[in-house]
Structures are given as C-alpha cells and as structure tokens.
Amino acid sequence: MTTAIQMLINGILLGSVYALLGVGMTMIFGIVKLTNLAHGEFIIIGAYASTLLAQALGVDPILTLIISVPFMFFAGVLLQTVLINRVMLQGSEPALLVTFGLSIILKDAMLLLFTADARHANVPYSTATIKLPAGLHIAVLDLVVFAISLATILILTLFLRRTYMGRAIRATSDDTSAASLMGVSVRRTYGIAMGIAMATAAVAGLGVGMRWTFYPTSGGDYLLIAFGVVVIGGMGSIPGTLVAGLVFGLAQVIGGANYGMLISYILLILMLAVRPQGLFSK
C-alpha cells in the first residue's frame, strides 16, 4: 500500500512537469491552429536561460524568470508577427515547414553557442526531502516545480477567462471570422498567443533544467511529450493539459525507467484510436 501511494505521489509530481511542457503547445494548437515543431527548442532555450543566468547572477534559477519570461514573450510576439503570420497566408503547410526549419536552426545555434555538454540548474535544495508518515517522502525540488507548474496553469487560466485579451484569444480560437467582425485583430491575437506560448516554454525550461540534465538536442524529446499531452488533454484545453500531464506522469512511474515512456505512448495511440479529439476538447 505504501509503495502504491508513493508511486501516486511521484506520478503526480512528474505529471505536473509534463503539463507545463504541453501548455504552450496547446495554446498554439488550439488558437493559431499551428503545429509548432520548434516548441521543444523553445523549452531548451528556457532551460539554458535559467541555468546560465542563475550561474552568472548567483541567484536561485526561479528568480531568473523575471528576465527570461518577458524576453521569451516578446520574442514570440515578434516571431509570430514578422514571420509566421505572413507564411500562414499561404496555408498551414508552409507555416509547419517554417517551424521545422526554425527548430533545426535553433538546435544548431545552441550546439555552436553552448557545445554538446550536459547542463543542469543546480539549487541548494536539490537533494532535500520531506518525510511523511508511513515511510513516504517528497523531494523538495519536485514539490517546488509542482508549485511552479500549478501557479503557471492557474495564472494562464485566469488570464484567458478574466481579461479582455483572454476573451479575445478564446473568441479567435472559436471562430476567427466572427472575432474579426467583432473588432478583434486576429493577427495581433495570434502574436500574443505565441508570446504566451514561448513565455510558458521559458517556465517549462526552468522545470526541465532544475529536474534533469539537458543538451542542445534535447528539444525533440520534450516536443514528443508535449504533443502527447496536448492530444490526450484536447487541443486548446488548459485543464485538459493538466489532467493529461498527470496521466502521462503516472503511466511513466508505473512503467518505470524501462517501460514508462512506452506505456505513455501506447496510451497516446489508444487515445487517438478511441477519442482523437482528446479528453476535454470543446
């Protein structure tokens, strides 16, 4: 019984990171209707930003979000406005190819700048644990990343539901023509959505850098996880992303190091066969 509860705790903590990986992609999937193949590289850029800034400034990596999140947001707005919006006029396929090319460029650029050496964001509480009754324990680092993930998803949910821009984003997601007739600038909304997606990628990169080692070529692995989370949760559904991340995390913990990801992707295939629209699709 104790082992099962411990696995449940570990799965939930791991799943919160997976939800954080997928929340930016679900924004772009659900709103811009674009498969962003560079999302994994954006996450790794966020990981490098938090790790290098923390080393340079001598602060906790969490504090580097003050710099990395605004930078990634404005970079996303600029990328969508200057490049992707123009390409999307030609159809979804050219935009998909642009994100694929951007993924390759970013990966090679990180290899040139940072070499192929492994990096990790060191924190003083990386080995600390909280002991619970019945022999259970929780790693402090995992708990911190869990709190960051929940806070990010909560803030994003409140933004989409309570602000004018959030309502404009949801309206654009539902019907671009109707939103445009109501005075919403669709191109501007797309830019804001991409900015938010990249800002959340910066937060996800912080979680990746604090929990695991990473390389310039690690983006593809996290892209697959994010894709699986989005498909299971439902495109455009922030709560669905959280639930799907927890499901992915539990599946990996149950399967262990050898079969965890295999079980997760089998679950993904089953979801595509049974309910391709996802658990919480609109």
Side-chain angles (χ1 to χ4, degrees):
M1 186 64 179
T2 301
T3 302
I5 296 175
Q6 185 66 61
M7 290 177 64
L8 178 63
I9 293 173
N10 293 341
I12 291 173
L13 295 175
L14 178 61
S16 68
V17 185
Y18 288 167
L20 196 55
L21 295 176
V23 70
M25 175 165 276
T26 199
M27 287 282 295
I28 300 304
F29 256 142
I31 297 165
V32 186
K33 307 299 188 294
L34 172 67
T35 305
N36 181 14
L37 298 180
H39 185 69
E41 277 63 43
F42 294 156
I43 292 172
I44 299 303
I45 289 174
Y48 273 109
S50 61
T51 301
L52 297 179
L53 283 172
Q55 292 175 353
L57 301 176
V59 297
D60 190 293
I62 297 174
L63 298 178
T64 63
L65 293 177
I66 299 173
I67 299 174
S68 63
V69 167
F71 174 80
M72 293 285 279
F73 173 80
F74 287 113
V77 173
L78 185 65
L79 173 66
Q80 183 71 33
T81 303
V82 175
L83 179 60
I84 298 179
N85 275 345
R86 297 176 183 271
V87 179
M88 288 182 68
L89 297 175
Q90 310 299 322
S92 58
E93 291 82 3
L96 175 67
L97 292 175
V98 166
T99 63
F100 178 66
L102 186 62
S103 169
I104 295 174
I105 291 171
L106 291 175
K107 186 185 302 179
D108 290 343
M110 286 188 286
L111 279 170
L112 287 173
L113 288 173
F114 308 124
T115 72
D117 295 339
R119 299 294 182 102
H120 180 69
N122 294 315
V123 290
Y125 45 84
S126 59
T127 58
T129 59
I130 299 175
K131 294 183 179 180
L132 303 176
L136 301 173
H137 65 275
I138 299 176
V140 173
L141 175 59
D142 293 349
L143 197 60
V144 169
V145 177
F146 175 78
I148 292 172
S149 177
L150 286 189
T152 302
I153 292 174
L154 177 61
I155 291 170
L156 184 56
T157 301
L158 292 175
F159 170 80
L160 291 175
R161 293 183 178 179
R162 302 291 179 86
T163 66
Y164 170 80
M165 179 52 65
R167 290 191 291 269
I169 288 174
R170 290 191 288 120
T172 304
S173 173
D174 289 337
D175 191 325
T176 54
S177 299
S180 181
L181 290 173
M182 294 301 294
V184 175
S185 173
V186 174
R187 294 170 66 87
R188 178 170 175 266
T189 303
Y190 282 176
I192 297 295
M194 178 60 82
I196 294 172
M198 287 190 60
T200 57
V203 182
L206 169 70
V208 168
M210 291 174 69
R211 284 199 55 151
W212 303 297
T213 57
F214 61 92
Y215 306 84
T217 56
S218 298
D221 298 332
Y222 298 116
L223 175 66
L224 286 175
I225 294 173
F227 180 77
V229 168
V230 170
V231 170
I232 293 176
M235 291 185 291
S237 173
I238 304 301
T241 302
L242 177 60
V243 173
L246 297 180
V247 170
F248 240 61
L250 287 170
Q252 185 167 349
V253 170
I254 292 171
N258 294 326
Y259 302 105
M261 292 309 297
L262 175 62
I263 293 175
S264 299
Y265 290 126
I266 289 175
L267 183 64
L268 172 61
I269 293 172
L270 291 175
M271 179 59 68
L272 286 171
V274 176
R275 187 177 171 84
Q277 70 269 33
L279 294 174
F280 293 86
S281 63
K282 292 178 291 185

